[in-house]
Amino acid sequence: MQASSSEDLRSTPSRNSSIRLGHTPIPVQSHRQSFTETLRGHPPSPRANRQPSLSQAQLQELLNNPPTAGSVDPNFSGRDWQTIGVGELCTSADVRWVEFDAGIEDATNILINSGAHVLLVRHRKDERAAHATYDYRDLTQYLLFATGQLQPDEDHLPIFTSLAKKAQAGEIIPLRDAKSLGNKEPFMTLPATANLTHAIEVFGGGVHRIIIVEEGTDNVVGILSQLRLVKFLWENGRNFPIIDALYSQSIKDLGIGSQLTISVNGDKPLKEALKLMNNEGLTSLAVVDNQWNVVGNISNFDVKLLTKASSAPLLDNTCIHFISVILSTRGMNDGKDSFPVFHINPYSTLAHTVAKLVATKAHRMWVTDSSSPSSSTTTNPNQLSQPSVPHPPTHFSLPQSNPPFIPLSSTPSVSASALPGANMAGRLAGVVSLTDILNLFARASGMHPTDPDERRRQRRRSSSSSMMRGSLDSARSSSVDVRDVKR
């Protein structure tokens, strides 16, 4: 049984409101008006007056001992996980809808306010069939378009110019037209009766979610994501001995993850990180200091903090500053401070890694070795006591041709050392994603999935040839470290 792929990117006029983020430039004009030219006031970091609720020792204990798996579901006891139907893991309550004719602003408000990670797009409100999706990767791309960061190729210049003129005139931009900027996530479906073997085959290709439909129809009954499947196999691991036996082994011994890493220096402008994620087809990006120590993480999901005009100055401020805003916002929402916990080391067990992924709802964990001394971080004695992996003497780093970035003077600048828990990470040495873990489960169960690294290369080649580019050469020369790290 094969998953089906479809999309509808046709453009038709509509009458809804659109996100208006400053003046959207038209590429044929001689002057490109910036996002911030008509905006005033730079929001200070709300972290300045907050006190962390966990001590350094308490945080280290949390990092070393993440939450354990939940109770086992007796409905799956004694069953082969490969024969479980994908429909058994889904519920229609998770489905959120939006219509193609909805304005991009309305669609974004629904996405953010519903708490969903994706909206299914349909033609009419009485329809149960989905034809596309709208998620935070799409929102990132639209924000880059609205702020003049995307550059179309010659063939698609008329489409780009038409959308830019609408935005400048304050006209509505329906979701249908916004989707013409390009699809960032493949639209895949499976019938509810398909088993998890088929789901893993699709997820092994780097697809993050599958739309589940009724057998023989296009009616949607749920959404299955990589994270939901990993969480299910984690919580019910004792029902599946082949998978349960893997959890006690280390990442290094299992040989999973990728040595090809793409990171951004924390002193670089946030807009460069967003362009990089868009151009490389990434959902998150490691933020490092000058010694390649991981000091934070930026994901597409965090872009929801940039949808108000008052947030415009954040694009020109540093990635480190944006991380402080992310953590402070989480702290205000959760009632306590948050800390970056998106890292593991090569000797972390698979159980430790999966527990962190499930707890943080992240798509990947950065693999780090011992911290290296730098002006922005201090070495943690606890980290020094852990086994370290020799760092390769050479790596590929693109030259820096642009002048150094100077933070906005009216916005407080945040250093890497100011981030709580930042000195508990280490030097970036690799990455383990949900795709890697599901690929491991498939191989352990006798399947022959595609190599995740090859899929990543294909996805990046596909992204590199897409119609919309965010000045990648400039972004790379100023902010990117691309390294092939050997363990």
Side-chain angles (χ1 to χ4, degrees):
M1 184 177 300
Q2 298 295 323
S4 61
S5 175
S6 65
E7 60 187 11
D8 188 335
L9 303 180
R10 292 168 295 181
S11 176
T12 62
S14 180
R15 296 196 172 195
N16 293 311
S17 58
S18 63
I19 294 179
R20 300 183 180 92
L21 300 172
H23 291 283
T24 303
I26 299 177
V28 295
Q29 292 180 332
S30 59
H31 171 66
R32 181 184 298 275
Q33 190 169 14
S34 71
F35 185 22
T36 58
E37 280 183 29
T38 59
L39 300 175
R40 297 178 180 176
H42 309 303
S45 170
R47 177 166 290 280
N49 298 320
R50 291 187 60 80
Q51 297 297 321
S53 57
L54 294 178
S55 68
Q56 199 87 334
Q58 289 173 320
L59 178 58
Q60 184 66 55
E61 177 65 20
L62 175 64
L63 296 179
N64 290 337
N65 299 283
T68 58
S71 58
V72 175
D73 189 335
N75 292 326
F76 302 104
S77 180
R79 297 176 61 182
D80 182 349
W81 70 269
Q82 297 182 68
T83 65
I84 295 173
V86 293
E88 298 181 65
L89 274 61
C90 300
T91 171
S92 59
D94 296 331
V95 179
R96 298 290 185 274
W97 293 96
V98 69
E99 286 69 53
F100 272 113
D101 290 335
I104 186 70
E105 182 178 3
D106 291 339
T108 299
N109 288 335
I110 294 173
L111 179 66
I112 294 174
N113 295 334
S114 68
H117 284 262
V118 61
L119 301 180
L120 300 188
V121 187
R122 59 189 175 185
H123 294 292
R124 306 179 312 276
K125 287 188 176 182
D126 60 351
E127 191 177 18
R128 292 181 57 197
H131 303 279
T133 59
Y134 179 65
D135 61 12
Y136 285 99
R137 295 178 73 182
D138 295 309
L139 176 58
T140 299
Q141 182 170 248
Y142 183 78
L143 285 172
L144 290 173
F145 155 74
T147 56
Q149 305 299 324
L150 290 183
Q151 299 296 326
D153 60 28
E154 191 172 320
D155 292 339
H156 296 88
L157 183 60
I159 297 175
F160 184 90
T161 303
S162 174
L163 290 177
K165 284 182 177 179
K166 285 184 179 180
Q168 275 195 324
E171 297 180 16
I172 54 173
I173 296 183
L175 185 58
R176 184 191 304 275
D177 289 356
K179 290 292 289 183
S180 69
L181 292 174
N183 270 344
K184 306 308 294 181
E185 178 76 15
F187 184 82
M188 311 298 295
T189 65
L190 276 177
T193 53
N195 58 43
L196 293 183
T197 299
H198 297 110
I200 282 195
E201 289 176 351
V202 175
F203 287 144
V207 175
H208 295 130
R209 71 180 71 91
I210 303 171
I211 312 304
I212 309 303
V213 298
E214 292 177 354
E215 181 74 34
T217 75
D218 292 328
N219 295 334
V220 176
V221 296
I223 302 173
L224 180 63
S225 66
Q226 282 186 330
L227 182 60
R228 171 163 291 189
L229 180 52
V230 168
K231 181 180 180 181
F232 168 78
L233 295 174
W234 166 240
E235 293 178 341
N236 295 278
R238 280 170 287 180
N239 284 333
F240 317 125
I242 293 177
I243 290 178
D244 194 46
L246 300 172
Y247 285 125
S248 62
Q249 301 183 52
S250 72
I251 295 301
K252 179 179 175 64
D253 290 341
L254 291 170
I256 65 171
S258 174
Q259 294 81 42
L260 180 62
T261 61
I262 300 180
S263 61
V264 62
N265 188 284
D267 292 331
K268 300 303 177 182
L270 172 62
K271 61 186 178 184
E272 300 298 335
L274 299 184
K275 287 190 289 186
L276 180 60
M277 286 195 292
N278 181 72
N279 294 335
E280 297 294 327
L282 303 173
T283 57
S284 61
L285 194 63
V287 180
V288 299
D289 64 15
N290 292 332
Q291 306 303 318
W292 316 116
N293 293 312
V294 176
V295 296
N297 182 89
I298 294 174
S299 73
N300 287 123
F301 187 71
D302 301 320
V303 172
K304 66 181 181 179
L305 300 177
L306 302 173
T307 55
K308 295 183 179 179
S310 60
S311 301
L314 291 173
L315 287 173
D316 286 314
N317 212 320
T318 64
C319 292
I320 287 292
H321 178 74
F322 187 55
I323 290 175
S324 74
V325 173
I326 293 171
L327 298 180
S328 292
T329 302
R330 290 178 188 166
M332 288 185 288
N333 291 339
D334 299 339
K336 59 183 179 181
D337 266 32
S338 286
F339 298 92
V341 291
F342 298 99
H343 61 84
I344 55 175
N345 66 58
Y347 298 97
S348 298
T349 63
L350 180 63
H352 180 94
T353 303
V354 171
K356 277 193 173 184
L357 286 166
V358 170
T360 60
K361 300 180 181 179
H363 285 160
R364 55 183 53 81
M365 283 286 147
W366 309 110
V367 181
T368 64
D369 56 24
S370 296
S371 301
S372 61
S374 70
S375 59
S376 61
T377 59
T378 57
T379 304
N380 185 346
N382 292 331
Q383 188 72 30
L384 287 176
S385 65
Q386 297 178 358
S388 63
V389 176
H391 198 73
T394 60
H395 63 268
F396 175 62
S397 182
L398 292 153
Q400 186 162 343
S401 60
N402 289 352
F405 170 70
I406 301 175
L408 295 172
S409 58
S410 58
T411 305
S413 180
V414 181
S415 67
S417 58
L419 296 177
N423 61 338
M424 291 186 173
R427 298 187 75 183
L428 183 62
V431 60
V432 175
S433 69
L434 295 174
T435 300
D436 297 315
I437 292 171
L438 291 173
N439 188 279
L440 170 67
F441 291 162
R443 288 187 283 111
S445 302
M447 299 167 60
H448 302 282
T450 304
D451 176 28
D453 273 342
E454 179 57 31
R455 288 291 191 178
R456 290 185 183 100
R457 296 185 191 101
Q458 292 176 2
R459 185 175 69 250
R460 285 167 183 163
R461 284 195 296 267
S462 174
S463 179
S464 297
S465 61
S466 64
M467 64 169 270
M468 293 293 172
R469 300 289 293 161
S471 302
L472 181 56
D473 291 340
S474 172
R476 280 185 164 168
S477 65
S478 64
S479 60
V480 187
D481 168 49
V482 182
R483 300 193 291 167
D484 193 2
V485 184
K486 308 296 184 184
R487 289 201 188 98

